[in-house]
Amino acid sequence: MSPLDDPAVTPLRVAVLGAGTVGTEVLRLLEQQRDDLAHRVGARLQVIGISVRDRTKDRGDHVDPALLTEDPHALVREADLVVELMGGIEPARTLLLEAMAGGASVVTANKALLAQDGAELYEAADAAGVDLHFEAAVAGAIPLVRPIRESLAGDRIQRVLGIVNGTTNYILDAMTRTGAEFDEALASAQRLGYAEADPTADVEGLDAAAKASILASLAFHTRVGLQDVHCEGITSITADDIAAARRLGSVIKLLSIVERIDDEDLGERISARVYPAMIPATHPLASVSEAYNAVFVQADAAGSLMFYGQGAGGSPTASAVLGDLVSVARQRVHGGKGPGESNYASLPIAPIDELRNGFYVALTVDDQPGVLAAVAGILSSHGISIATIHQEPIGASPEAGGVAGRDVRARIGIVTHTAAESAMSTALDDLSTTAAVVAIDSVLRVEGE
Amino acid sequence: MSPLDDPAVTPLRVAVLGAGTVGTEVLRLLEQQRDDLAHRVGARLQVIGISVRDRTKDRGDHVDPALLTEDPHALVREADLVVELMGGIEPARTLLLEAMAGGASVVTANKALLAQDGAELYEAADAAGVDLHFEAAVAGAIPLVRPIRESLAGDRIQRVLGIVNGTTNYILDAMTRTGAEFDEALASAQRLGYAEADPTADVEGLDAAAKASILASLAFHTRVGLQDVHCEGITSITADDIAAARRLGSVIKLLSIVERIDDEDLGERISARVYPAMIPATHPLASVSEAYNAVFVQADAAGSLMFYGQGAGGSPTASAVLGDLVSVARQRVHGGKGPGESNYASLPIAPIDELRNGFYVALTVDDQPGVLAAVAGILSSHGISIATIHQEPIGASPEAGGVAGRDVRARIGIVTHTAAESAMSTALDDLSTTAAVVAIDSVLRVEGE
């Protein structure tokens, strides 16, 4: 007998916490695909309640008002499966801990919570013998958590590198397309719904860093929290930087990079970092536009894999949530437990100072004889060798301290060969105290070459 | 206590059937990563035997000669987990059935066996309560089976389209790069190890069709066997076709396409097909070169996803095998059972005749007044409208029946708008009996526009 008709098959009770864009879409798909999901799970999924902050708000056709509740604590006590889509740390954290302590398996899209309190959540899941799934927390609809956690479980991952924040990608894309400054591009992204009213988490790189911490934890079997991720956002990227990138045949993308580093003396360590970087315009990531995400995974045996798709939005995120929901529901019906935390490797985190990178450095200098030699000399004294250098006068203007018709300042753009981050850091200190250097305008990593 | 040291944790007994390129690499990785795998599984994986046809052959450092056996039947009876890498239908089929009947979970890379006897294998796994995993059977290292079977289990897949055979991709790539004819490109692929001595399964599209049947079964929850897949290979692709594609801004790729088709009258059906097609040179699949694979998955909520990586080779395939081995081993340790067959939808297969496509048709015609009008008239009479048409004289030669200095034959290349396969089929019958049409040189689908 099919699980749809068999009265002996008890439906699984599902609590949905949050009915925003993703929650509403999850509820719509649960309704629209109810028979399909019952077949795939082996039991019906019955939504027993939807917790919201305001029960009186209209939420469209797919949210049954009779199921709305403002008491999520009572709701999770009654559930077999809890889908958390509220976002934020509290009350999401307490509710998930209550749900798991009560024996419910949990699906969440909450990257900030996982990055901050992942260890506590995993321990609670383990103690209760329940599942904790979070495919939707990284790269929206793109299957990435499951492939890294399961498909590559027999391989050794070296590096995960990608674009995992759609908002910043949209903004950088707009700056590249239109020549706009950051503020204009952000305002346009906000008008179009690609950026939130408070864009901090996106533009400061925190959202990408939370995702990097999740990816690093999975890839390297090590606890990696948000505090372990070196994080730089895109707020200081200028139209000049974008133009310089174009001149160099590159584009600027906000990258999340997690990496295994083998060092003869220091042994095996890992690095997790988020920063805007110049990548060649011919690199596959360069053509990832607007709110799309793309992630490369390199592993010893598998080689290089790429995953591409929509990284955000109601439907794509709901797809990932429902995939997880079917998984945890199947485990309920068929017994057993999905993969839990794997942190046996406990590799140390290499500080950013100890890494090596190519750099792009833009300086404003006094346009006088010997400046270029001085700049090159400072870099060289720190063991940094120059790959390309470009100097052009800055149009004379009273602001620039110039005299009409005569250029007194110049812009120097330098691309270095691979150099130690620490060497670059002290070289920049030296440059900043060099009389002829008026300003260090930009420092960007160069990746993907 | 770690599972590495705890004497109470019994190792899982692993039988490896076949020690060719993939088998040897699986054994190497099992040895090299033994501690990591033990942590990830929760128990040690102990290889208890390796079945080969010839025990006396040297197999390198990672194959312990003491573990070699020529009696796979005895071996699988002793195993908890069986990894089948022999290929072919028998004895692989019987051995997997014996293994599962004896309570072992099974990992296989055998696409031909799954395409032919998948239903029987699934039923045996279900009856025995064991797992049957086969990530390596499709697209090598690329996680595709697990994402489709699990990550997208809460979504509705509309279409899976991609390049899943590296040998034919290598050959078409070489023809495009060098202008070579098929036979030359095949010979070069054989010399370089990209094609087997007997290339039939690859160049006739059978390998791609087996993979399409597996993908369709998973994506549409329907049993789809090899016989349900419309299959055309690349043996008739000529240097002329490649040149024509280039002139049209396209390239020729062997595509595997599985698709859900909604028809007002006929309801929901599915299609699975493999054929060489022209795709625009700007399409992401156009730049997939050599032995790489790339697959697009379109689903209602997730939108369009792309997966890219190495589709064959010892290491990439071994990575997929080991990911599955960790999964089935984890289920052994933690209880429960992974996803089994899901065929509840049982959708009917739409015959190729009932589909619609754009076409490229190349004809040799007598170069006389009215030929073009006759050809266009025949297409039009079958409701086929022409998108572009190109006519050029064929250089006069005795073979072509020409007189020096005078062209008597011409080549016509036509790209049609979307048309019914059945209409094209009857139009081609009519063209073949038209006096002025000397030969129908090529008929190719046009995809990806």
Side-chain angles (χ1 to χ4, degrees), chain A residues 33 36 39-40 146 151 153-155 221 301 305-306 308 315-316 319 323 330 338-339 344, chain B residues 33 36 39-40 146 151 153-155 221 301 305-306 308 315-316 319 323 330 338-339 344:
Chain A
Q33 305 187 122
D36 281 304
H39 279 295
R40 296 175 194 176
R146 189 175 276 102
S151 306
D155 207 331
H221 302 271
L305 303 167
M306 186 174 72
Y308 174 87
S315 287
S319 171
R330 279 195 76 266
Y344 70 89
Chain B
Q33 304 185 123
D36 281 304
H39 279 295
R40 296 175 194 177
R146 189 175 274 103
S151 306
D155 208 332
H221 302 272
L305 302 167
M306 188 175 71
Y308 173 86
S315 286
S319 171
R330 278 195 77 267
Y344 71 88

mmCIF file of all heavy atoms in Angstrom, chain A residues 33 36 39-40 146 151 153-155 221 301 305-306 308 315-316 319 323 330 338-339 344, chain B residues 33 36 39-40 146 151 153-155 221 301 305-306 308 315-316 319 323 330 338-339 344:
data_model
loop_
_atom_site.group_PDB
_atom_site.id
_atom_site.type_symbol
_atom_site.label_atom_id
_atom_site.label_comp_id
_atom_site.label_asym_id
_atom_site.label_seq_id
_atom_site.Cartn_x
_atom_site.Cartn_y
_atom_site.Cartn_z
ATOM 1 N N GLN A 33 3.557 19.843 -3.626
ATOM 2 C CA GLN A 33 4.200 18.551 -3.895
ATOM 3 C C GLN A 33 3.856 17.512 -2.837
ATOM 4 O O GLN A 33 4.619 16.572 -2.641
ATOM 5 C CB GLN A 33 5.720 18.740 -3.917
ATOM 6 C CG GLN A 33 6.195 19.787 -4.891
ATOM 7 C CD GLN A 33 7.708 19.824 -4.995
ATOM 8 O OE1 GLN A 33 8.259 19.656 -6.059
ATOM 9 N NE2 GLN A 33 8.384 19.989 -3.870
ATOM 10 N N ASP A 36 3.989 13.812 -3.927
ATOM 11 C CA ASP A 36 5.360 13.434 -4.309
ATOM 12 C C ASP A 36 6.244 13.278 -3.077
ATOM 13 O O ASP A 36 6.986 12.295 -2.951
ATOM 14 C CB ASP A 36 5.967 14.501 -5.227
ATOM 15 C CG ASP A 36 5.486 14.373 -6.660
ATOM 16 O OD1 ASP A 36 5.650 13.282 -7.227
ATOM 17 O OD2 ASP A 36 4.941 15.346 -7.202
ATOM 18 N N HIS A 39 5.600 10.101 -1.149
ATOM 19 C CA HIS A 39 6.207 8.927 -1.776
ATOM 20 C C HIS A 39 7.711 8.887 -1.512
ATOM 21 O O HIS A 39 8.279 7.825 -1.260
ATOM 22 C CB HIS A 39 5.981 8.958 -3.290
ATOM 23 C CG HIS A 39 4.618 8.478 -3.697
ATOM 24 N ND1 HIS A 39 4.201 7.189 -3.495
ATOM 25 C CD2 HIS A 39 3.593 9.127 -4.295
ATOM 26 C CE1 HIS A 39 2.966 7.054 -3.970
ATOM 27 N NE2 HIS A 39 2.572 8.214 -4.455
ATOM 28 N N ARG A 40 8.359 10.036 -1.623
ATOM 29 C CA ARG A 40 9.816 10.060 -1.508
ATOM 30 C C ARG A 40 10.259 9.798 -0.066
ATOM 31 O O ARG A 40 11.303 9.201 0.174
ATOM 32 C CB ARG A 40 10.355 11.405 -1.999
ATOM 33 C CG ARG A 40 10.067 11.598 -3.492
ATOM 34 C CD ARG A 40 10.475 12.967 -3.993
ATOM 35 N NE ARG A 40 9.893 13.209 -5.312
ATOM 36 C CZ ARG A 40 10.005 14.349 -5.985
ATOM 37 N NH1 ARG A 40 10.691 15.363 -5.459
ATOM 38 N NH2 ARG A 40 9.441 14.485 -7.162
ATOM 39 N N ARG A 146 26.094 18.845 1.072
ATOM 40 C CA ARG A 146 26.014 17.383 0.941
ATOM 41 C C ARG A 146 27.162 16.824 0.109
ATOM 42 O O ARG A 146 27.800 15.853 0.515
ATOM 43 C CB ARG A 146 24.645 16.974 0.384
ATOM 44 C CG ARG A 146 24.400 15.480 0.418
ATOM 45 C CD ARG A 146 22.994 15.096 -0.014
ATOM 46 N NE ARG A 146 22.019 15.176 1.040
ATOM 47 C CZ ARG A 146 21.137 16.153 1.218
ATOM 48 N NH1 ARG A 146 21.102 17.159 0.380
ATOM 49 N NH2 ARG A 146 20.298 16.121 2.204
ATOM 50 N N SER A 151 29.676 13.219 -0.582
ATOM 51 C CA SER A 151 30.248 12.705 -1.834
ATOM 52 C C SER A 151 31.773 12.676 -1.781
ATOM 53 O O SER A 151 32.403 11.796 -2.350
ATOM 54 C CB SER A 151 29.809 13.568 -3.016
ATOM 55 O OG SER A 151 28.404 13.684 -3.055
ATOM 56 N N ALA A 153 33.585 12.443 0.962
ATOM 57 C CA ALA A 153 34.015 11.936 2.275
ATOM 58 C C ALA A 153 35.167 10.941 2.161
ATOM 59 O O ALA A 153 35.828 10.631 3.147
ATOM 60 C CB ALA A 153 32.846 11.291 3.008
ATOM 61 N N GLY A 154 35.420 10.423 0.957
ATOM 62 C CA GLY A 154 36.526 9.501 0.788
ATOM 63 C C GLY A 154 37.723 10.151 0.113
ATOM 64 O O GLY A 154 38.633 9.464 -0.343
ATOM 65 N N ASP A 155 37.701 11.455 0.041
ATOM 66 C CA ASP A 155 38.759 12.184 -0.661
ATOM 67 C C ASP A 155 39.398 13.171 0.321
ATOM 68 O O ASP A 155 38.990 13.278 1.478
ATOM 69 C CB ASP A 155 38.140 12.934 -1.850
ATOM 70 C CG ASP A 155 39.128 13.164 -2.991
ATOM 71 O OD1 ASP A 155 40.342 13.262 -2.715
ATOM 72 O OD2 ASP A 155 38.677 13.261 -4.139
ATOM 73 N N HIS A 221 37.276 18.838 8.503
ATOM 74 C CA HIS A 221 36.971 18.058 9.711
ATOM 75 C C HIS A 221 37.552 18.748 10.945
ATOM 76 O O HIS A 221 38.257 18.137 11.752
ATOM 77 C CB HIS A 221 37.474 16.623 9.558
ATOM 78 C CG HIS A 221 36.882 15.936 8.365
ATOM 79 N ND1 HIS A 221 35.710 15.239 8.397
ATOM 80 C CD2 HIS A 221 37.278 15.900 7.060
ATOM 81 C CE1 HIS A 221 35.402 14.780 7.196
ATOM 82 N NE2 HIS A 221 36.345 15.167 6.354
ATOM 83 N N ALA A 301 41.911 13.357 -5.188
ATOM 84 C CA ALA A 301 41.544 12.355 -6.181
ATOM 85 C C ALA A 301 40.543 12.909 -7.198
ATOM 86 O O ALA A 301 40.656 12.655 -8.391
ATOM 87 C CB ALA A 301 40.981 11.110 -5.500
ATOM 88 N N LEU A 305 36.398 20.481 -9.192
ATOM 89 C CA LEU A 305 34.966 20.405 -9.479
ATOM 90 C C LEU A 305 34.387 21.813 -9.420
ATOM 91 O O LEU A 305 34.848 22.632 -8.637
ATOM 92 C CB LEU A 305 34.252 19.560 -8.428
ATOM 93 C CG LEU A 305 34.738 18.122 -8.237
ATOM 94 C CD1 LEU A 305 34.156 17.542 -6.958
ATOM 95 C CD2 LEU A 305 34.322 17.284 -9.443
ATOM 96 N N MET A 306 33.378 22.087 -10.241
ATOM 97 C CA MET A 306 32.699 23.373 -10.097
ATOM 98 C C MET A 306 31.203 23.166 -9.924
ATOM 99 O O MET A 306 30.606 22.308 -10.568
ATOM 100 C CB MET A 306 32.933 24.308 -11.270
ATOM 101 C CG MET A 306 32.301 25.665 -10.939
ATOM 102 S SD MET A 306 32.570 27.043 -12.094
ATOM 103 C CE MET A 306 31.591 26.609 -13.465
ATOM 104 N N TYR A 308 27.556 25.498 -9.755
ATOM 105 C CA TYR A 308 27.053 26.814 -10.166
ATOM 106 C C TYR A 308 25.535 26.855 -10.076
ATOM 107 O O TYR A 308 24.866 25.875 -10.425
ATOM 108 C CB TYR A 308 27.500 27.058 -11.610
ATOM 109 C CG TYR A 308 26.941 28.306 -12.245
ATOM 110 C CD1 TYR A 308 27.585 29.523 -12.081
ATOM 111 C CD2 TYR A 308 25.782 28.257 -13.006
ATOM 112 C CE1 TYR A 308 27.078 30.678 -12.664
ATOM 113 C CE2 TYR A 308 25.271 29.405 -13.601
ATOM 114 C CZ TYR A 308 25.923 30.608 -13.424
ATOM 115 O OH TYR A 308 25.415 31.742 -13.997
ATOM 116 N N SER A 315 12.681 30.745 -3.830
ATOM 117 C CA SER A 315 12.533 29.400 -4.396
ATOM 118 C C SER A 315 13.815 28.580 -4.316
ATOM 119 O O SER A 315 13.784 27.439 -3.855
ATOM 120 C CB SER A 315 12.067 29.474 -5.846
ATOM 121 O OG SER A 315 10.724 29.849 -5.897
ATOM 122 N N PRO A 316 14.963 29.116 -4.762
ATOM 123 C CA PRO A 316 16.185 28.314 -4.694
ATOM 124 C C PRO A 316 16.513 27.877 -3.268
ATOM 125 O O PRO A 316 16.880 26.723 -3.028
ATOM 126 C CB PRO A 316 17.264 29.256 -5.257
ATOM 127 C CG PRO A 316 16.515 30.187 -6.156
ATOM 128 C CD PRO A 316 15.194 30.391 -5.478
ATOM 129 N N SER A 319 14.214 25.128 -2.197
ATOM 130 C CA SER A 319 14.581 23.833 -2.787
ATOM 131 C C SER A 319 15.590 23.110 -1.907
ATOM 132 O O SER A 319 15.459 21.909 -1.634
ATOM 133 C CB SER A 319 15.167 24.047 -4.189
ATOM 134 O OG SER A 319 15.709 22.844 -4.703
ATOM 135 N N GLY A 323 15.029 19.608 0.225
ATOM 136 C CA GLY A 323 15.907 18.448 0.043
ATOM 137 C C GLY A 323 16.359 17.913 1.399
ATOM 138 O O GLY A 323 16.318 16.708 1.655
ATOM 139 N N ARG A 330 13.194 10.984 5.840
ATOM 140 C CA ARG A 330 13.501 9.602 5.467
ATOM 141 C C ARG A 330 14.196 8.877 6.615
ATOM 142 O O ARG A 330 13.921 7.709 6.895
ATOM 143 C CB ARG A 330 14.411 9.540 4.229
ATOM 144 C CG ARG A 330 13.698 9.701 2.895
ATOM 145 C CD ARG A 330 14.605 9.248 1.754
ATOM 146 N NE ARG A 330 14.657 7.794 1.692
ATOM 147 C CZ ARG A 330 15.559 7.041 2.252
ATOM 148 N NH1 ARG A 330 16.566 7.568 2.911
ATOM 149 N NH2 ARG A 330 15.494 5.733 2.174
ATOM 150 N N GLY A 338 21.835 10.627 9.925
ATOM 151 C CA GLY A 338 22.721 11.165 8.903
ATOM 152 C C GLY A 338 24.050 11.565 9.513
ATOM 153 O O GLY A 338 24.256 11.443 10.707
ATOM 154 N N PRO A 339 24.964 12.072 8.671
ATOM 155 C CA PRO A 339 26.274 12.459 9.184
ATOM 156 C C PRO A 339 26.164 13.581 10.213
ATOM 157 O O PRO A 339 25.391 14.513 10.029
ATOM 158 C CB PRO A 339 27.023 12.950 7.936
ATOM 159 C CG PRO A 339 26.100 12.848 6.792
ATOM 160 C CD PRO A 339 24.801 12.300 7.228
ATOM 161 N N TYR A 344 37.401 15.541 13.895
ATOM 162 C CA TYR A 344 38.511 14.763 14.428
ATOM 163 C C TYR A 344 39.877 15.333 14.063
ATOM 164 O O TYR A 344 40.852 15.140 14.771
ATOM 165 C CB TYR A 344 38.425 13.310 13.956
ATOM 166 C CG TYR A 344 38.712 13.140 12.494
ATOM 167 C CD1 TYR A 344 40.016 12.941 12.031
ATOM 168 C CD2 TYR A 344 37.698 13.205 11.553
ATOM 169 C CE1 TYR A 344 40.289 12.823 10.675
ATOM 170 C CE2 TYR A 344 37.952 13.090 10.206
ATOM 171 C CZ TYR A 344 39.249 12.899 9.768
ATOM 172 O OH TYR A 344 39.522 12.800 8.445
ATOM 173 N N GLN B 33 44.573 6.805 3.166
ATOM 174 C CA GLN B 33 43.678 7.588 4.025
ATOM 175 C C GLN B 33 43.058 6.737 5.130
ATOM 176 O O GLN B 33 41.992 7.088 5.655
ATOM 177 C CB GLN B 33 42.551 8.187 3.180
ATOM 178 C CG GLN B 33 43.020 9.017 2.020
ATOM 179 C CD GLN B 33 41.856 9.677 1.305
ATOM 180 O OE1 GLN B 33 41.808 10.878 1.172
ATOM 181 N NE2 GLN B 33 40.898 8.889 0.869
ATOM 182 N N ASP B 36 41.976 8.600 8.362
ATOM 183 C CA ASP B 36 40.901 9.561 8.078
ATOM 184 C C ASP B 36 39.571 8.846 7.844
ATOM 185 O O ASP B 36 38.541 9.239 8.384
ATOM 186 C CB ASP B 36 41.256 10.390 6.828
ATOM 187 C CG ASP B 36 42.239 11.504 7.143
ATOM 188 O OD1 ASP B 36 41.938 12.318 8.033
ATOM 189 O OD2 ASP B 36 43.309 11.548 6.517
ATOM 190 N N HIS B 39 37.952 7.560 10.985
ATOM 191 C CA HIS B 39 37.285 8.616 11.747
ATOM 192 C C HIS B 39 35.948 8.991 11.111
ATOM 193 O O HIS B 39 34.959 9.225 11.794
ATOM 194 C CB HIS B 39 38.167 9.870 11.784
ATOM 195 C CG HIS B 39 39.249 9.811 12.823
ATOM 196 N ND1 HIS B 39 38.982 9.766 14.166
ATOM 197 C CD2 HIS B 39 40.601 9.791 12.720
ATOM 198 C CE1 HIS B 39 40.117 9.728 14.845
ATOM 199 N NE2 HIS B 39 41.126 9.734 13.992
ATOM 200 N N ARG B 40 35.936 9.082 9.787
ATOM 201 C CA ARG B 40 34.727 9.553 9.108
ATOM 202 C C ARG B 40 33.618 8.502 9.168
ATOM 203 O O ARG B 40 32.443 8.832 9.224
ATOM 204 C CB ARG B 40 35.056 9.912 7.655
ATOM 205 C CG ARG B 40 36.032 11.086 7.583
ATOM 206 C CD ARG B 40 36.486 11.394 6.182
ATOM 207 N NE ARG B 40 37.651 12.283 6.193
ATOM 208 C CZ ARG B 40 38.305 12.670 5.115
ATOM 209 N NH1 ARG B 40 37.914 12.262 3.913
ATOM 210 N NH2 ARG B 40 39.347 13.466 5.211
ATOM 211 N N ARG B 146 24.028 11.767 -6.032
ATOM 212 C CA ARG B 146 23.574 12.159 -4.699
ATOM 213 C C ARG B 146 22.812 13.490 -4.731
ATOM 214 O O ARG B 146 21.730 13.584 -4.152
ATOM 215 C CB ARG B 146 24.757 12.217 -3.725
ATOM 216 C CG ARG B 146 24.347 12.398 -2.275
ATOM 217 C CD ARG B 146 25.528 12.323 -1.331
ATOM 218 N NE ARG B 146 25.867 10.986 -0.928
ATOM 219 C CZ ARG B 146 26.875 10.278 -1.399
ATOM 220 N NH1 ARG B 146 27.675 10.792 -2.304
ATOM 221 N NH2 ARG B 146 27.107 9.059 -0.963
ATOM 222 N N SER B 151 19.687 15.912 -2.669
ATOM 223 C CA SER B 151 19.601 17.368 -2.503
ATOM 224 C C SER B 151 18.348 17.924 -3.179
ATOM 225 O O SER B 151 17.743 18.871 -2.693
ATOM 226 C CB SER B 151 20.838 18.049 -3.093
ATOM 227 O OG SER B 151 22.017 17.514 -2.558
ATOM 228 N N ALA B 153 15.567 16.247 -3.721
ATOM 229 C CA ALA B 153 14.426 15.362 -3.441
ATOM 230 C C ALA B 153 13.164 16.133 -3.076
ATOM 231 O O ALA B 153 12.072 15.574 -3.104
ATOM 232 C CB ALA B 153 14.784 14.383 -2.322
ATOM 233 N N GLY B 154 13.294 17.415 -2.746
ATOM 234 C CA GLY B 154 12.113 18.217 -2.440
ATOM 235 C C GLY B 154 11.737 19.139 -3.576
ATOM 236 O O GLY B 154 10.944 20.059 -3.403
ATOM 237 N N ASP B 155 12.301 18.903 -4.741
ATOM 238 C CA ASP B 155 12.069 19.782 -5.891
ATOM 239 C C ASP B 155 11.520 18.944 -7.041
ATOM 240 O O ASP B 155 11.389 17.720 -6.931
ATOM 241 C CB ASP B 155 13.400 20.456 -6.281
ATOM 242 C CG ASP B 155 13.205 21.814 -6.950
ATOM 243 O OD1 ASP B 155 12.162 22.026 -7.588
ATOM 244 O OD2 ASP B 155 14.119 22.644 -6.842
ATOM 245 N N HIS B 221 11.734 9.564 -10.954
ATOM 246 C CA HIS B 221 11.128 8.536 -10.101
ATOM 247 C C HIS B 221 10.361 7.527 -10.944
ATOM 248 O O HIS B 221 9.187 7.243 -10.712
ATOM 249 C CB HIS B 221 10.225 9.205 -9.052
ATOM 250 C CG HIS B 221 10.968 10.186 -8.201
ATOM 251 N ND1 HIS B 221 11.619 9.815 -7.049
ATOM 252 C CD2 HIS B 221 11.216 11.510 -8.358
ATOM 253 C CE1 HIS B 221 12.220 10.885 -6.525
ATOM 254 N NE2 HIS B 221 11.997 11.916 -7.301
ATOM 255 N N ALA B 301 12.061 24.800 -8.446
ATOM 256 C CA ALA B 301 12.398 25.765 -7.397
ATOM 257 C C ALA B 301 13.874 26.157 -7.451
ATOM 258 O O ALA B 301 14.216 27.325 -7.310
ATOM 259 C CB ALA B 301 12.036 25.205 -6.024
ATOM 260 N N LEU B 305 21.090 24.635 -12.373
ATOM 261 C CA LEU B 305 22.329 24.332 -11.663
ATOM 262 C C LEU B 305 23.317 23.746 -12.651
ATOM 263 O O LEU B 305 22.919 23.050 -13.583
ATOM 264 C CB LEU B 305 22.085 23.293 -10.562
ATOM 265 C CG LEU B 305 21.046 23.645 -9.483
ATOM 266 C CD1 LEU B 305 20.690 22.410 -8.673
ATOM 267 C CD2 LEU B 305 21.600 24.738 -8.581
ATOM 268 N N MET B 306 24.608 24.004 -12.460
ATOM 269 C CA MET B 306 25.596 23.331 -13.298
ATOM 270 C C MET B 306 26.632 22.629 -12.438
ATOM 271 O O MET B 306 27.060 23.154 -11.413
ATOM 272 C CB MET B 306 26.304 24.264 -14.253
ATOM 273 C CG MET B 306 27.172 23.440 -15.217
ATOM 274 S SD MET B 306 28.020 24.298 -16.567
ATOM 275 C CE MET B 306 29.273 25.194 -15.752
ATOM 276 N N TYR B 308 30.391 20.513 -12.852
ATOM 277 C CA TYR B 308 31.496 20.386 -13.813
ATOM 278 C C TYR B 308 32.689 19.703 -13.154
ATOM 279 O O TYR B 308 32.993 19.967 -11.988
ATOM 280 C CB TYR B 308 31.893 21.792 -14.270
ATOM 281 C CG TYR B 308 33.122 21.872 -15.131
ATOM 282 C CD1 TYR B 308 33.020 21.701 -16.503
ATOM 283 C CD2 TYR B 308 34.368 22.113 -14.571
ATOM 284 C CE1 TYR B 308 34.156 21.770 -17.309
ATOM 285 C CE2 TYR B 308 35.503 22.186 -15.367
ATOM 286 C CZ TYR B 308 35.386 22.008 -16.739
ATOM 287 O OH TYR B 308 36.499 22.077 -17.519
ATOM 288 N N SER B 315 41.675 8.183 -10.663
ATOM 289 C CA SER B 315 41.523 8.932 -9.419
ATOM 290 C C SER B 315 40.133 9.551 -9.262
ATOM 291 O O SER B 315 39.499 9.382 -8.227
ATOM 292 C CB SER B 315 42.585 10.024 -9.314
ATOM 293 O OG SER B 315 43.823 9.463 -9.032
ATOM 294 N N PRO B 316 39.632 10.282 -10.277
ATOM 295 C CA PRO B 316 38.307 10.877 -10.104
ATOM 296 C C PRO B 316 37.221 9.822 -9.833
ATOM 297 O O PRO B 316 36.365 10.016 -8.967
ATOM 298 C CB PRO B 316 38.062 11.595 -11.432
ATOM 299 C CG PRO B 316 39.435 11.889 -11.954
ATOM 300 C CD PRO B 316 40.266 10.721 -11.527
ATOM 301 N N SER B 319 37.485 8.586 -6.324
ATOM 302 C CA SER B 319 36.949 9.547 -5.346
ATOM 303 C C SER B 319 35.456 9.322 -5.143
ATOM 304 O O SER B 319 34.961 9.293 -4.010
ATOM 305 C CB SER B 319 37.198 10.984 -5.836
ATOM 306 O OG SER B 319 36.521 11.923 -5.028
ATOM 307 N N GLY B 323 33.569 7.978 -1.724
ATOM 308 C CA GLY B 323 32.495 8.740 -1.086
ATOM 309 C C GLY B 323 31.310 7.836 -0.791
ATOM 310 O O GLY B 323 30.738 7.854 0.303
ATOM 311 N N ARG B 330 29.072 4.143 6.901
ATOM 312 C CA ARG B 330 28.443 4.901 7.991
ATOM 313 C C ARG B 330 27.074 4.328 8.355
ATOM 314 O O ARG B 330 26.715 4.221 9.517
ATOM 315 C CB ARG B 330 28.267 6.382 7.609
ATOM 316 C CG ARG B 330 29.506 7.258 7.787
ATOM 317 C CD ARG B 330 29.128 8.732 7.749
ATOM 318 N NE ARG B 330 28.530 9.139 9.005
ATOM 319 C CZ ARG B 330 27.246 9.156 9.294
ATOM 320 N NH1 ARG B 330 26.358 8.820 8.392
ATOM 321 N NH2 ARG B 330 26.816 9.513 10.467
ATOM 322 N N GLY B 338 20.187 4.013 3.410
ATOM 323 C CA GLY B 338 20.152 5.162 2.507
ATOM 324 C C GLY B 338 18.971 5.051 1.558
ATOM 325 O O GLY B 338 18.223 4.074 1.595
ATOM 326 N N PRO B 339 18.817 6.045 0.685
ATOM 327 C CA PRO B 339 17.692 6.026 -0.256
ATOM 328 C C PRO B 339 17.759 4.815 -1.185
ATOM 329 O O PRO B 339 18.823 4.464 -1.676
ATOM 330 C CB PRO B 339 17.854 7.318 -1.053
ATOM 331 C CG PRO B 339 19.047 8.015 -0.539
ATOM 332 C CD PRO B 339 19.674 7.233 0.535
ATOM 333 N N TYR B 344 7.890 5.541 -7.942
ATOM 334 C CA TYR B 344 6.449 5.678 -7.739
ATOM 335 C C TYR B 344 5.759 6.420 -8.882
ATOM 336 O O TYR B 344 4.582 6.204 -9.143
ATOM 337 C CB TYR B 344 6.162 6.391 -6.416
ATOM 338 C CG TYR B 344 6.527 7.852 -6.437
ATOM 339 C CD1 TYR B 344 5.603 8.807 -6.864
ATOM 340 C CD2 TYR B 344 7.794 8.280 -6.057
ATOM 341 C CE1 TYR B 344 5.957 10.152 -6.904
ATOM 342 C CE2 TYR B 344 8.143 9.617 -6.100
ATOM 343 C CZ TYR B 344 7.226 10.551 -6.529
ATOM 344 O OH TYR B 344 7.576 11.875 -6.590
#
